[in-house]
Amino acid sequence: GKVRAPTHIISTISDDRGEEPCYAGVPMSSIVEQGYGVGDVISLLWFKRSLPRYCTHFIEICIMLCADHGPCVSGAHNTIVTARAGKDLVSSLVSGLLTIGPRFGGAVDDAARYFKDAYDRGLTPYEFVESMKKKGIRVPGIGHRIKRGDNRDKRVELLQLFARTHFPSVKYMEYAVQVETYTLSKANNLVLNVDGAIGSLFLDLLAGSGMFTKQEIDEIVEIGYLNGLFVLARAIGLIGHTFDQKRLKQPLYRHPWEDVLYTK
Ligand code: ACO
Ligand code: LMR
């Protein structure tokens, strides 16, 4: 009989061999004809299934709300400096993307991991936060440079409002809110930030949609899919900042001496 030569690559999300490319088995023509949006495409290519409309709408809201946060944040700053150094689009983009990590925009997965573990183990917010403090770990998804208890992040409020209206359950988000109530009693800057809101709400999306087994949810959280939402979203803004600097013909950036403390 025929012997299949061993392959060097296994791929399960897309196939371009037929008449038209397919994302998780769904042909391009269906994607266009059925009016799929970018949330549906993310569902197919990341989660390998079509998710209900409220889930794909939530994904799209995350992307729209995280697309940009002004020129002063780490990512945009890097992109602006790089574009002004005369570098090309891709270099300017990746220079900004490289700042995404545990402090800036890349705390979504860890927020989901820690909130899930604490909630599933039945820890009170006090027990959870204090155990993190003992371990010397900042609670991912909590804290912001400019947002405060009396100046909440509008993005967080919009995500929460959408989920409270459309999700069957928001138990992880409610837990994150209880954690925030406790951390705010310690310091006014320890708000639930957009990473923490997305991390906790995505747990609710995964658990409440009925589309994922417990094992699949654990795998998604363990591998860490959710920072991808921030990376994807912020790329939109970073590309915009690159074009903005080029359009404005901005010269090479040099940081002012007055703003540096030269000391021994
Ligand atoms: N958990 C516990 N304590 C915290 C946390 C936290 N998440 N964040 C700050 N604190 C404490 C600090 O330990 C510090 O106390 P200390 O001086 O006694 O050590 C105090 O609050 C002030 O900390 P700062 O370093 O001044 O806070 P800063 O404004 O620099 O930090 C940051 C902001 C980086 C967002 C921080 O809150 C943090 O690390 N959070 C966790 C990571 C995270 O969620 N990042 C995503 C932010 S949202 C975004 O980027 C889109
Ligand atoms: C962002 O979305 O970039 C911000 O939340 C970070 C910041 O410092 O404003």
Side-chain angles (χ1 to χ4, degrees):
K2 284 185 184 166
V3 179
R4 178 79 165 89
T7 61
H8 295 94
I9 286 180
I10 304 173
S11 172
T12 69
I13 61 165
S14 57
D15 192 341
D16 63 323
R17 292 169 303 171
E19 214 172 272
E20 55 178 322
C22 291
Y23 293 164
V26 179
M28 289 289 148
S29 49
S30 305
I31 289 174
V32 175
E33 281 157 18
Q34 291 176 28
Y36 279 27
V38 76
D40 297 287
V41 170
I42 291 170
S43 302
L44 294 172
L45 289 177
W46 294 12
F47 300 105
K48 294 175 55 177
R49 70 205 72 191
S50 283
L51 291 173
R53 179 62 191 138
Y54 78 88
C55 297
T56 60
H57 194 180
F58 178 76
I59 291 172
E60 285 164 5
I61 291 173
C62 290
I63 290 174
M64 291 188 288
L65 295 182
C66 292
D68 198 42
H69 208 238
C72 301
V73 305
S74 303
H77 184 82
N78 256 24
T79 288
I80 288 170
V81 171
T82 309
R84 289 181 57 167
K87 300 293 296 267
D88 60 292
L89 171 63
V90 176
S91 306
S92 305
L93 169 64
V94 298
S95 155
L97 288 179
L98 286 171
T99 63
I100 298 177
R103 293 183 184 168
F104 168 67
V108 191
D109 283 311
D110 271 345
R113 286 184 190 118
Y114 280 105
F115 285 140
K116 183 172 190 309
D117 178 69
Y119 177 89
D120 292 352
R121 287 197 292 132
L123 297 188
T124 64
Y126 169 84
E127 289 167 335
F128 169 50
V129 174
E130 293 306 322
S131 72
M132 295 291 276
K133 192 173 177 189
K134 266 192 208 128
K135 286 184 257 177
I137 304 172
R138 287 183 175 195
V139 181
I142 294 287
H144 200 274
R145 291 306 298 258
I146 57 168
K147 295 296 166 190
R148 295 283 177 272
D150 49 4
N151 171 29
R152 295 299 176 88
D153 191 328
K154 192 70 190 169
R155 298 170 296 180
V156 172
E157 292 176 348
L158 290 168
L159 290 166
Q160 289 175 331
L161 178 66
F162 180 87
R164 285 201 172 105
T165 314
H166 297 283
F167 284 22
S169 156
V170 287
K171 62 181 186 178
Y172 288 109
M173 183 202 84
E174 295 297 4
Y175 183 70
V177 169
Q178 287 172 29
V179 169
E180 178 193 47
T181 304
Y182 178 65
T183 54
L184 278 177
S185 73
K186 293 166 83 85
N188 201 25
N189 67 320
L190 297 184
V191 290
L192 180 65
N193 60 43
V194 74
D195 285 15
I198 295 177
S200 56
L201 280 169
F202 226 91
L203 293 173
D204 286 319
L205 182 152
L206 294 168
S209 64
M211 302 288 291
F212 299 88
T213 65
K214 202 185 152 307
Q215 202 186 346
E216 284 174 328
I217 296 174
D218 288 344
E219 190 184 47
I220 288 166
V221 171
E222 191 192 315
I223 290 176
Y225 286 33
L226 307 180
N227 285 344
L229 289 168
F230 191 91
V231 172
L232 181 65
R234 194 49 62 95
I236 299 172
L238 298 178
I239 291 171
H241 283 291
T242 307
F243 296 156
D244 196 35
Q245 296 306 306
K246 304 274 183 201
R247 192 166 47 225
L248 294 165
K249 299 193 178 14
Q250 289 296 284
L252 179 67
Y253 179 81
R254 197 173 197 281
H255 201 75
W257 279 321
E258 310 83 81
D259 192 40
V260 176
L261 173 64
Y262 291 91
T263 181
K264 291 218 163 100

